[in-house]
Amino acid sequence: MEKLPKSPLLEFNHRQVDLVRETFNYDVKKLNQDLDNFEDWIRKQNHFEVKEFDRDYLERFLIASKGSVEIAKKRFDKLCTLRTLMPEFLRNFDVNDEFSRVVKWNYYCVLPKPTNDNYRVIATTAHNPDAPDIDTLELYRFVISLMEYVLKYDYSAGFEVIFDTRMYTFGLVSKFNPIIMKKCVTIFLEAFGCRLKRVHVVSGSKLCDIVLSILKSVLSEKVVKRIVVHDTVETLQNYISKDILPVDLGGTAKCMKDICEAALEEMRKEEHVARLKFMETAGTDESKRLNQTFNEEYLGMPGSFKSLCVD
């Protein structure tokens, strides 16, 4: 990767690519060798339905895997496999209708400025929790589409995530099915390989304890230890600079509504829609898988893959 593609959504630190590579002990020569290895492995997988991918896209998988080619292979295999096993999350995106409904009740934002140590901050809030047509699966699909965008344009050491629960209602919380959430977490952490530095939960709602218990039930023990609870938005500034945070969360950056709507416009563009369509084809044909790891890797996941409808 010579330089990062320009994005109207994202800003970057000076020498961000070099600094992130240095974090994982990468020089250009070793990185290119690992990418060659990764690409060669992909081409040899009989069960992959697509075997040629953008090299910069694969580089980000390596970075998310802390420079481990073996971890990157495992995660990439899982992502392709889950496209086949869980199409309700990873296929047939409708960036206009379904994503427009999401923005009417929830703002999910990749904040423009990275932290000083090159982490990207993600923030989400339910601004209209009593909306009549809330579908949490559509929210997860919105986030997956946005993650595909990030894998095209961003280059970070990982993520800090902010859950603003101040507007949560019992009606909204009751829509968060832990089994469906667990599948979503599996996609983000085990397939996309999102590295979480911290998970911030802004309290203020009487339902915060319920939200925390749901999060703890779907996250690994390692990630649960990274949850930080804030009684007010002001304490977020102890971890994240004020100029990074949106005004909704006590910062000076633009509001979450504007950030989220700008992201939706980017995802509606022909280039991103075509990218989603291409990635939807990158599934697996399990009849051609050569090893016997499938049962070990996937049959232990919550829910049945015989019927993939949401209960």
Side-chain angles (χ1 to χ4, degrees):
M1 180 184 300
E2 296 297 327
K3 61 180 180 178
L4 292 172
K6 291 184 178 180
S7 163
L9 300 182
L10 303 174
E11 300 174 23
F12 303 98
N13 292 327
H14 177 61
R15 295 187 63 244
Q16 182 163 325
V17 171
D18 293 335
L19 292 172
V20 170
R21 287 174 177 172
E22 289 172 12
T23 300
F24 304 112
N25 299 313
Y26 259 135
D27 57 40
V28 174
K29 181 179 179 180
K30 182 178 184 301
L31 178 59
N32 284 325
Q33 288 173 344
D34 285 351
L35 281 170
D36 290 342
N37 184 343
F38 196 10
E39 284 185 311
D40 186 55
W41 174 82
I42 288 172
R43 295 188 188 104
K44 292 177 179 177
Q45 302 311 299
N46 291 347
H47 59 295
F48 281 3
E49 295 181 321
V50 175
K51 299 187 181 184
E52 296 292 336
F53 295 89
D54 181 83
R55 194 171 170 91
D56 292 346
Y57 181 80
L58 298 181
E59 180 175 337
R60 289 171 171 85
F61 260 88
L62 280 174
I63 293 297
S65 303
K66 297 191 289 188
S68 169
V69 179
E70 293 309 309
I71 292 175
K73 290 176 182 178
K74 183 176 180 180
R75 286 175 172 170
F76 198 79
D77 189 3
K78 177 160 283 190
L79 181 58
C80 293
T81 303
L82 293 182
R83 284 196 183 96
T84 299
L85 296 182
M86 298 196 296
E88 75 275 28
F89 285 92
L90 291 156
R91 282 179 165 164
N92 302 313
F93 292 98
D94 183 343
V95 298
N96 289 308
D97 290 343
E98 66 170 321
F99 290 176
S100 296
R101 289 192 294 270
V102 169
V103 173
K104 288 179 181 178
W105 70 272
N106 187 281
Y107 295 141
Y108 190 97
C109 309
V110 177
L111 302 187
K113 291 184 178 181
T115 62
N116 289 337
D117 54 354
N118 302 305
Y119 279 76
R120 187 65 62 177
V121 181
I122 294 172
T124 180
T125 185
H127 64 90
N128 184 17
D130 297 319
D133 55 352
I134 289 177
D135 185 336
T136 56
L137 181 58
E138 288 182 344
L139 171 62
Y140 304 147
R141 287 165 59 81
F142 179 98
V143 179
I144 288 167
S145 174
L146 190 56
M147 186 54 58
E148 290 287 5
Y149 182 91
V150 167
L151 281 169
K152 167 69 175 177
Y153 291 97
D154 202 10
Y155 204 99
S156 68
F159 299 92
E160 293 209 42
V161 180
I162 304 171
F163 289 94
D164 180 6
T165 71
R166 289 175 295 172
M167 294 285 288
Y168 280 24
T169 64
F170 180 79
L172 174 60
V173 172
S174 66
K175 294 180 185 294
F176 289 108
N177 183 323
I179 293 177
I180 304 302
M181 287 183 68
K182 181 64 175 177
K183 290 183 178 181
C184 187
V185 166
T186 297
I187 292 171
F188 288 119
L189 300 189
E190 298 180 24
F192 281 116
C194 299
R195 300 183 63 247
L196 298 182
K197 182 178 181 181
R198 295 187 192 92
V199 177
H200 303 272
V201 179
V202 179
S203 182
S205 165
K206 295 178 180 178
L207 300 170
C208 184
D209 287 343
I210 298 176
V211 175
L212 281 171
S213 67
I214 294 173
L215 283 175
K216 290 178 180 179
S217 72
V218 301
L219 296 172
S220 68
E221 182 179 352
K222 180 179 179 181
V223 177
V224 166
K225 292 178 180 178
R226 298 175 184 173
I227 295 176
V228 182
V229 180
H230 302 266
D231 292 331
T232 67
V233 294
E234 282 72 22
T235 56
L236 283 170
Q237 296 171 34
N238 296 334
Y239 300 88
I240 302 169
S241 174
K242 192 173 183 177
D243 66 332
I244 294 175
L245 294 168
V247 292
D248 321 59
L249 297 174
T252 57
K254 59 176 138 181
C255 68
M256 294 178 70
K257 178 178 185 292
D258 290 346
I259 296 171
C260 188
E261 290 182 347
L264 178 58
E265 287 306 307
E266 279 295 292
M267 288 191 287
R268 283 173 170 163
K269 289 183 177 179
E270 183 177 342
E271 179 184 4
H272 183 70
V273 172
R275 181 178 180 81
L276 284 180
K277 293 296 183 186
F278 169 75
M279 296 310 299
E280 285 178 26
T281 66
T284 58
D285 181 346
E286 294 304 325
S287 68
K288 296 179 181 179
R289 188 184 289 267
L290 296 181
N291 58 53
Q292 299 299 316
T293 60
F294 177 84
N295 287 353
E296 299 172 12
E297 290 285 335
Y298 301 102
L299 294 188
M301 290 182 62
S304 170
F305 292 119
K306 294 180 180 178
S307 176
L308 294 175
C309 298
V310 180
D311 293 336

